[in-house]
């Protein structure tokens, strides 16, 4: 990853701040789908594993987080949030390129889910993620790593 961007493993003390970030970034999606804040927070806290979550910092400033977990047939990009004021600056693209090219992803499928109507879907599709399955609530996307992914 290019400097001044860095990833550091999250600690248990980061959990609240990352939950707050999720609530801020996903507020429109939660509202559109009628999800209560308490339910959204509960889901995050239930699934938070600090050793699989990374805090994203830009010039030593907290800008987001990402979590990649082992899943059947590959890895699951479960959490990926960039603070709104840092979106559109290439930070998310750089982090996603890093994850795609990281050696543990090579040869594996990288999967994720986005709410229907989320602008995040176009972001992932730009990187070659394709729909595996969708319903009225969630779209499941994945990227099979191959040599063509080296273009990122």
């Amino acid at each position: 990853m290019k400097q001044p961007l860095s990833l550091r493993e999250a600690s248990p003390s980061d959990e609240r701040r990352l939950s707050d970030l999720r609530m801020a970034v996903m507020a429109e999606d939660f509202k559109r789908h009628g999800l209560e804040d308490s339910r959204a927070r509960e889901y995050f806290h239930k699934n938070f594993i600090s050793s699989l979550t990374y805090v994203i910092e830009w010039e030593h400033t907290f800008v987001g987080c990402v979590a990649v977990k082992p899943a059947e047939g590959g890895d699951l990009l479960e959490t990926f949030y960039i603070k709104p004021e840092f979106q559109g600056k290439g930070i998310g693209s750089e982090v996603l390129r890093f994850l795609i090219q990281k050696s543990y992803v090579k040869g594996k499928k990288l999967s994720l889910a986005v709410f229907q109507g989320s602008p995040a879907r176009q972001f992932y599709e730009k990187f070659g993620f394709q729909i595996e399955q969708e319903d009225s609530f969630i779209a499941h996307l994945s990227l099979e790593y191959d040599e063509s992914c080296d273009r990122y």
Side-chain angles (χ1 to χ4, degrees):
M1 295 182 68
K2 299 176 196 170
Q3 293 299 324
L5 193 60
S6 64
L7 297 177
R8 69 162 175 81
E9 188 174 302
S11 68
S13 65
D14 289 311
E15 185 173 356
R16 177 62 191 227
R17 176 169 61 163
L18 301 183
S19 174
D20 290 345
L21 172 64
R22 178 176 194 257
M23 298 306 295
V25 170
M26 302 288 294
E28 288 300 314
D29 287 318
F30 295 152
K31 182 179 177 182
R32 183 175 49 258
H33 291 285
L35 292 174
E36 297 175 6
D37 286 359
S38 60
R39 183 174 168 205
R41 282 190 187 276
E42 179 183 329
Y43 178 87
F44 180 85
H45 292 295
K46 182 177 133 190
N47 292 289
F48 178 76
I49 301 172
S50 61
S51 64
L52 298 176
T53 304
Y54 295 87
V55 172
I56 304 166
E57 296 178 337
W58 183 66
E59 294 184 344
H60 307 288
T61 300
F62 167 68
V63 299
C65 67
V66 63
V68 179
K69 297 181 177 181
E72 186 176 326
D75 292 305
L76 173 66
L77 180 58
E78 184 176 78
T79 300
F80 190 14
Y81 307 118
I82 303 293
K83 290 172 89 172
E85 62 268 31
F86 289 95
Q87 292 178 9
K89 299 180 183 296
I91 294 168
S93 293
E94 187 173 338
V95 172
L96 188 56
R97 272 189 220 95
F98 173 76
L99 295 174
I100 291 169
Q101 293 176 344
K102 193 165 171 49
S103 62
Y104 72 83
V105 174
K106 288 187 178 181
K108 295 182 182 179
K109 178 169 68 172
L110 184 59
S111 301
L112 58 93
V114 296
F115 283 112
Q116 290 290 14
S118 171
R121 180 171 170 168
Q122 287 103 10
F123 171 76
Y124 293 116
E125 288 174 339
K126 173 177 78 172
F127 282 87
F129 283 81
Q130 297 183 349
I131 297 171
E132 283 193 341
Q133 174 184 346
E134 64 182 320
D135 58 33
S136 62
F137 192 63
I138 297 282
H140 297 271
L141 293 89
S142 68
L143 176 69
E144 295 276 350
Y145 188 92
D146 63 29
E147 288 74 32
S148 69
C149 293
D150 288 333
R151 69 182 186 272
Y152 300 118

